[in-house]
Every structure is written in C-alpha cells, then in structure tokens.
Amino acid sequence: MVNTGKPSSGCEACRARHIKCDGSRPSCMRCQKLKRICPGYRDLSKVRFGGKPASRKGNTPTYEHKPKSISDHVGDSLLGNFVGTESFRTADPMAISHFVPGSMNSVPRAMEALFGQRSLSSMHLRIPEHEAAQCFFLANFILLPSTATKMGHLNFIIPLLNTASERSPLRSAFSAVSLASLGAQPNSLGLLSKAKLSYVQALKQINVALADPKLAKEDSIMATTLLLTVYEVMVRPETDRKGWHSHKTHIDGAVALITFGRRRLFRSKISRELFLSIRELMTIEYIGTSKAPNRGVYWWTNRVPEEEVSQRYALLNLHVAELREDNNKITTLSPQTACNTEIVVEFLARAEQLEKQYRDWQESQASCWEPTTVAWVDNEDTMGFATSEAFPGRVEAFTDLTAAYRYNIARSSQILVWTSILRAVAWTEYPEDYRLTTSYSNARRRCIELIDGIIASIPFFLGWKERSDKVLAGESQSACGSNSKVIGVGAFYVMWPMFVAANSDFATPEQRAFVKGRLTYIAQNFGIDQADRLIQVC
C-alpha cells in the first residue's frame, strides 16, 4: 500500500503484501477468497500518522499486550532455531513433542494451526521458512515406532541430528527434504529452488565424507543417503526417468555402505534401525527392477535380531526380487528344447512354492497385521472414480501405518509372484493359449482378491473420512505428537502397492482410474513427485 499520510486500516496479511484490503470484519474478503485465515487488524488508536507506532518515552514503541496462542508458543519454542538449540540436543532423542508447551493434546492443534492449508500464508508472516519447513517435515514424514511392528519411518534422524555438526551432510540433506516437502504446499513453491541448493550442498559434503574410510562408516552418512533418496522421491530428478526406479542412485549407495561395512555397524539401536530401513528400500527397489540382492537373500535376514514375523516377511520379499531376476532370464529362452523346458519347469515349481509360503505366512504369522472392514461404499456414493476418496466396496483399517504398509507389500509381492508363474506357464504351453489352463484360473481368482484388498486399504493411508467427525487412524504417531490428521508417510507407504495393482492384467479400468486419481492427489497434496511419474506408466 502507498503511504498516504494516514495509517492503513487493512488486515495484517494485506498490509504485509502491500495490497488493498476491504476492511471487512472479522476477516477481510480477500483472505476469504484465498481460503486463508485472516490474521485480523491492528489497533489504530495506538498508531500515529505515517504508520509509526506511538511512543511514551523517547522513541520506544508501545504495543498492546496479548496472551500468546498455542501456535505462537510453537513458533517461539519449537521453531526458534529448531535443530540447533541446546534443548533439542539434550532432550529425549526419539521424540520432539516435548518442545511444545502444554499437554500432548495441544500438539495436533498447534501443528494444524501452523501447517493447515488455510494457514500457510499467515505462517510465513511470523516463522522463518527454513524452521517452518523442518517442523513440517518432522510432523508429516517421520513416524515413531508402533506397538504392532515396532518399526517407524526415519525416526532415527532425530537422535542423529542431536549430535550432528553444523556442517554435517546430514543437516544439509535434512534441510533439502524439509524445504522440498513444504515447498510443494500452496504459496510455498519458491522453497524448491532453496531445497535444490541444500541438496547440491549435501551431495558435495557426502562425497567428501565417503573419501574418508572412518567417516564413511558413521550412521549419519547412511542416514544422509536415505534422506537424499527421500528428496529424489519428492523432487523430479534432472534426468527424466519414469517409473519406480527413478530414485535408485542413492539406494545403491546406501546398500554399498551396508555391505562394505562390518558387523559392528549394527550393534547400536540406531545402526539396526538404519539397516532395516535400507533393507526395506532396497527390497522394493530390487523387486521393481528385477534384481537379486547383493550377497544373497539370507545375508540380509541374519544381520540384526528381529521378530519372526518381520524376518519372514523380509525373507519372502527378497525371494521375490530373486525370482523376478530369474524370470527375466528363463522366459526369454529359445527354442523350447528339452533342456530349456526343464529349466522353466523347475522355475515354475519354485514360484508356486513361494506363493504357497506367502499364503502360509499370511495365515499363521501375519494375523497381527490383518485389516478389518470398517465401512462399505456404494456406487452412488462416488462422483467419479478418478476423484473419489474411496472405491466402491469395502474399506479397510489397520492397527497402524507400518502394519498396513507391510501387509500391502506382501499383497503386491504375491501379485508379482503370480505374474511370474503365468509367464512360465505361457512359455511351457506355447503355442496353446495359457489362459485356458488351471494356473491362469487360480491366478485370476487370487490376484483379484489381492488387488481388491489393496484398493480397499488406500483410504486408510490417505486419511479418508467416513463421516466429517471420523477419520481412519490407527496407533501411528508422527514425531510431533498423536496422528490426528493425514501425514505424508502414509502416501509414501501406499504408492508401490497401488502401482503394482494398477499394472496387473486383472485390474479393472475403474480400479486403474481410481489409482491414477489417488496418485494425482498424492502428487498435488503431499509434494511427492514420484507419484506423478508413476501415473505416466500406470
């Protein structure tokens, strides 16, 4: 606004942006049209002409004293030099909710006030962007361990940041993913260029660290490679690679750090959590690219102690990666000689045995992760498959996000096992139509069940509301308190199962349209660019 010699009567948001305000109360029309919270108006009785505040003595300005709101406290205590304060370094390393004054129940409300879509504009008026980005990432993409699986998501980042130096590559990588996550939100796209600068700085720093054999074995270096992988999932890479394996560079780097290290790397709790996280990312990457794991399947399942159900889950999934690599080799064998036929038949028996092992594991050991049906959606409840939040049919809920993720990964792996079986059957039956075989009938029935299950679980991951006052949620906790709203890790967890389901021959056109719509929602609302890349190949 141009200074006309008299104080502006506009709201704080319009004054900060130097635009005309209509002065409507309690909130101006401009803020209402932009769907943001209007911060209100200043007291003109305490402002002199020329826009300067009145003073009592000398040039000391006076302001009306108001009690601080919860969000003000969060801005002061949680976000004030967030990861550099002494309180951050000395507090409980596995949680950050203690930084917020008051009870735990106030944390979700404070986070919503700070990071809700309606308040992002006003947030930037009072909180430095890099501090807001850090807290946004912690609240949305770091998950504390659950009681069902005892697994979190990137929760080891918090204690590692406690001890990281200011010039650590971990801090640069953390800054990159934080700015990238917040940069995808409305009115914050300008942060993406700053995120890229932090990403480039982290690359330079980690290259220097890797040249030092001692530094290369530190947990913070492995954690940095994981954060760089997360960044590449969020932000489109320089090379326009499509599909799931567009972020494989730093996964391979993390695997190299694990396999080149010694067993002592896994003695601490943080080292074990890092190993399990890297193994999880590697497994999905290798399944997607049909690559057998380095050092063999059993090396990766005997490094650290874990529960039998989790160890069996990891073992079966690693066998799928191994199976898919062999599948690509044998189904291209030509001609159909007796020797080649024997190889394919042996592979088919191995694939069928793996499928049986999955069913036995699901029935006997994975019952603690099984979902429950919490709602049914009728056809008339959906306005269009591409824009629907839930697909017609049942809607599933789980005890927590990690249990849901693992159960769905097992589902998607079984679909891929059946795909391998059918490829082998097609080879042995050629030139006859393999779709007339019993194997095809069994695959069709089972894959339809698995795809329906994945589709039914999607609302749980993305926070579908059956009613306006009821949100699907389990025991999962974000690093900033109870999970009362959608957090970005759910979007991370559901993308691969959705991708597998939509690309199956047994998915219906309606299911594919629904999956593409949900991937579009993830790309637009969570800032995960890989979702947009997956749409192109679904």
Side-chain angles (χ1 to χ4, degrees), residues 217 219 257-258 261-268 271:
K217 294 180 181 179
D219 292 339
L257 289 173
I258 287 287
R262 298 179 179 177
R263 191 178 183 90
R264 66 182 180 82
L265 285 172
F266 315 130
R267 288 179 178 174
S268 69
S271 295

Side-chain angles (χ1 to χ4, degrees), residues 283-298:
T283 302
I284 303 305
E285 174 63 29
Y286 286 4
I287 289 175
T289 55
S290 302
K291 177 181 177 182
N294 298 333
R295 296 207 175 188
V297 169
Y298 292 98

Side-chain angles (χ1 to χ4, degrees), residues 141-155:
F141 294 98
I142 292 186
L143 195 68
L144 299 183
S146 66
T147 55
T149 60
K150 296 180 175 59
M151 286 275 302
H153 183 257
L154 299 178
N155 53 294

Side-chain angles (χ1 to χ4, degrees), residues 347-416:
F347 169 83
L348 180 59
R350 180 157 63 97
E352 290 174 340
Q353 178 64 24
L354 181 58
E355 193 279 328
K356 182 179 183 301
Q357 289 174 350
Y358 261 113
R359 281 189 285 111
D360 292 342
W361 168 80
Q362 215 162 12
E363 293 172 2
S364 60
Q365 293 182 319
S367 57
C368 57
W369 298 349
E370 282 185 355
T372 56
T373 300
V374 294
W376 283 88
V377 177
D378 298 325
N379 286 329
E380 57 268 20
D381 292 340
T382 60
M383 300 180 61
F385 295 112
T387 57
S388 298
E389 295 183 359
F391 193 79
R394 74 180 189 273
V395 177
E396 293 180 345
F398 297 78
T399 55
D400 61 73
L401 277 172
T402 310
Y405 165 74
R406 290 186 165 189
Y407 203 84
N408 262 2
I409 291 297
R411 282 169 165 168
S412 62
S413 293
Q414 291 176 76
I415 293 174
L416 295 175

Side-chain angles (χ1 to χ4, degrees), residues 262-310:
R262 298 179 179 177
R263 191 178 183 90
R264 66 182 180 82
L265 285 172
F266 315 130
R267 288 179 178 174
S268 69
K269 180 180 180 181
I270 292 178
S271 295
R272 292 192 294 270
E273 290 176 345
L274 276 165
F275 173 84
L276 295 174
S277 296
I278 292 172
R279 187 185 67 184
E280 191 74 37
L281 283 174
M282 179 204 72
T283 302
I284 303 305
E285 174 63 29
Y286 286 4
I287 289 175
T289 55
S290 302
K291 177 181 177 182
N294 298 333
R295 296 207 175 188
V297 169
Y298 292 98
W299 187 92
W300 286 95
T301 54
N302 293 314
R303 294 298 94 188
V304 299
E306 55 184 323
E307 292 183 346
E308 184 179 358
V309 60
S310 299

